[in-house]
Amino acid sequence: MCESKVQSDCACVTSKEINLDEPRYDQEFYMGRAKHFFQTTNPLNLFVSSRKLDEAKCLIHSYKCGEKLPSGTSEEDLWRAKTLYDSAFHPDTGEKMVLIGRMSAQVPMNMLITGGMITFYKTAPAVVFWQWLNQSFNALVNYTNRSGDIVQTDKQILTSYAFATSGAVGTALGLNALVKKMPPLVGRLVPFAAVAAANCINIPMMRAQELKHGTPVFDANGNKLGYSTVAAQYGIGQVILSRIAMAMPGMVLTPVVMDYLEKRGTLSRYRWLALPISLGVLGICLTFATPLACALFKQKASLPFFRLEDELKDKVAKEQDISKIDRVFFNKGL
């Protein structure tokens, strides 16, 4: 019964008491966005069962349709369900996202992968493996958290993945060759430089269909106006900056700490400490950097109407009075 209710196309109106179409905290301010992402990127969300997630989705949809809350369900329970829903379901399609593609998987997955990149960075095979693994993971995350509802074929996904990963691995190998005669600290920073450059390749490639066909844009009342490539470019640019900011603290601070311990001789005496220390520093950095970087820009981004492409503006003008449309809104992705 619950499942059919969730999948129905009934015209639901959000209750005036609690607006579940928006996050709990004011997204106009950075602190409000940070609080929201500290909750939705919490790694503990990964341990919530599929049954609990479906129950949360059912509760959210039922409340939006004007039904009374189940007996014993408090406002806090409703917001908790909203947090779980936001952490696991795509905001545009409503589909449950792949587990390791969710933003709540960023901290544990990046701890392991980035720890490997920073620890094993000296040989070409190690660089190839860890950069390939990192960009494969990033490709999955980028696709999972894409904006809009455009469907990509398997061929398009595989082509984008091939270009994204090969470009990233090539960048890492090239940088590694350039810094061979430089101080060890510079070599330790190559993974960050490679990741930053790779984000500029990986994210646009995995979201290439948005750049080609556009992302859905809406007016202030939530009415769909069409698809805009300008909005897609704007949103993807913000996501690239957020991802670089997310990686920077851990991938810069960790090499500095490891270089210091190496110069002191600590790592020479206790080689087994290298990976645990890297993971520990990365874990602390990522726990805070992930939500804080996600909060740099609003997920529900907006653009002035006049910035849209002429074709879309002309289309909208034929259907309604554009003098009443000041800005358009869209999900930029994460």
Side-chain angles (χ1 to χ4, degrees):
M1 178 179 176
C2 175
E3 190 64 26
S4 61
K5 196 179 297 181
V6 168
Q7 293 177 348
S8 69
D9 294 324
C10 64
C12 299
V13 180
T14 303
S15 168
K16 292 181 180 178
E17 295 179 9
I18 302 175
N19 182 9
L20 295 181
D21 288 328
E22 299 291 339
R24 183 175 189 174
Y25 305 103
D26 192 345
Q27 299 298 286
E28 292 299 318
F29 299 97
Y30 179 76
M31 286 306 298
R33 298 196 296 272
K35 288 179 181 179
H36 169 69
F37 282 112
F38 264 108
Q39 292 185 343
T40 55
T41 64
N42 186 345
L44 295 177
N45 293 335
L46 296 173
F47 298 99
V48 178
S49 67
S50 290
R51 178 171 167 272
K52 287 288 186 183
L53 292 175
D54 290 333
E55 288 176 355
K57 181 176 183 178
C58 182
L59 180 61
I60 296 299
H61 279 255
S62 296
Y63 186 79
K64 286 185 177 183
C65 285
E67 297 184 17
K68 291 183 179 180
L69 291 174
S71 178
T73 303
S74 66
E75 181 178 324
E76 197 61 36
D77 293 331
L78 190 60
W79 281 118
R80 173 59 180 163
K82 166 71 171 168
T83 297
L84 292 178
Y85 178 81
D86 288 345
S87 73
F89 294 91
H90 193 278
D92 291 329
T93 65
E95 296 176 354
K96 188 181 293 180
M97 296 183 284
V98 179
L99 186 70
I100 63 171
R102 301 172 193 170
M103 293 307 290
S104 47
Q106 284 287 296
V107 173
M109 291 299 296
N110 277 326
M111 272 180 63
L112 295 173
I113 296 173
T114 308
M117 283 195 293
I118 291 174
T119 304
F120 309 107
Y121 67 95
K122 293 182 178 179
T123 66
V127 170
V128 170
F129 172 75
W130 287 106
Q131 285 293 335
W132 166 79
L133 183 62
N134 184 51
Q135 292 310 317
S136 296
F137 170 64
N138 284 342
L140 175 62
V141 172
N142 295 334
Y143 177 74
T144 303
N145 294 278
R146 66 197 182 281
S147 170
D149 50 10
I150 294 175
V151 178
Q152 296 189 51
T153 65
D154 291 342
K155 182 179 179 181
Q156 290 169 333
I157 294 172
L158 289 173
T159 301
S160 297
Y161 167 74
F163 276 108
T165 51
S166 59
V169 170
T171 300
L173 288 173
L175 288 172
N176 232 34
L178 287 174
V179 301
K180 278 187 175 180
K181 296 182 179 180
M182 295 184 183
L185 178 58
V186 178
R188 289 184 183 275
L189 289 172
V190 164
F192 170 65
V195 165
N199 273 321
C200 298
I201 302 171
N202 197 315
I203 296 172
M205 287 304 306
M206 291 308 298
R207 294 175 60 176
Q209 293 305 302
E210 290 177 55
L211 294 172
K212 182 178 180 180
H213 300 292
T215 193
V217 294
F218 304 82
D219 63 17
N221 297 317
N223 300 311
K224 190 173 181 178
L225 301 176
Y227 291 82
S228 170
T229 56
V230 173
Q233 294 166 12
Y234 185 80
I236 289 173
Q238 288 188 337
V239 171
I240 290 172
L241 292 176
S242 292
R243 293 292 185 83
I244 293 174
M246 191 185 298
M248 183 183 295
M251 298 193 77
V252 171
L253 181 60
T254 305
V256 170
V257 171
M258 299 305 287
D259 188 65
Y260 171 75
L261 292 176
E262 193 169 80
K263 287 179 178 177
R264 286 194 57 182
T266 304
L267 295 184
S268 298
R269 294 193 300 272
Y270 309 102
R271 292 185 180 278
W272 60 273
L273 280 176
L275 189 57
I277 291 175
S278 292
L279 292 177
V281 176
L282 281 167
I284 293 171
C285 291
L286 286 167
T287 298
F288 293 94
T290 299
L292 294 178
C294 286
L296 286 175
F297 306 101
K298 290 186 286 186
Q299 185 169 358
K300 186 178 179 181
S302 66
L303 276 176
F305 180 77
F306 72 84
R307 290 276 302 277
L308 299 179
E309 52 267 53
D310 292 336
E311 295 83 358
L312 180 56
K313 286 189 289 187
D314 291 340
K315 172 185 173 294
V316 175
K318 293 177 182 177
E319 300 172 352
Q320 56 186 290
D321 183 4
I322 60 174
S323 64
K324 297 180 181 179
I325 305 176
D326 180 39
R327 301 185 70 83
V328 297
F329 301 86
F330 58 96
N331 168 33
K332 70 171 179 59
L334 287 173

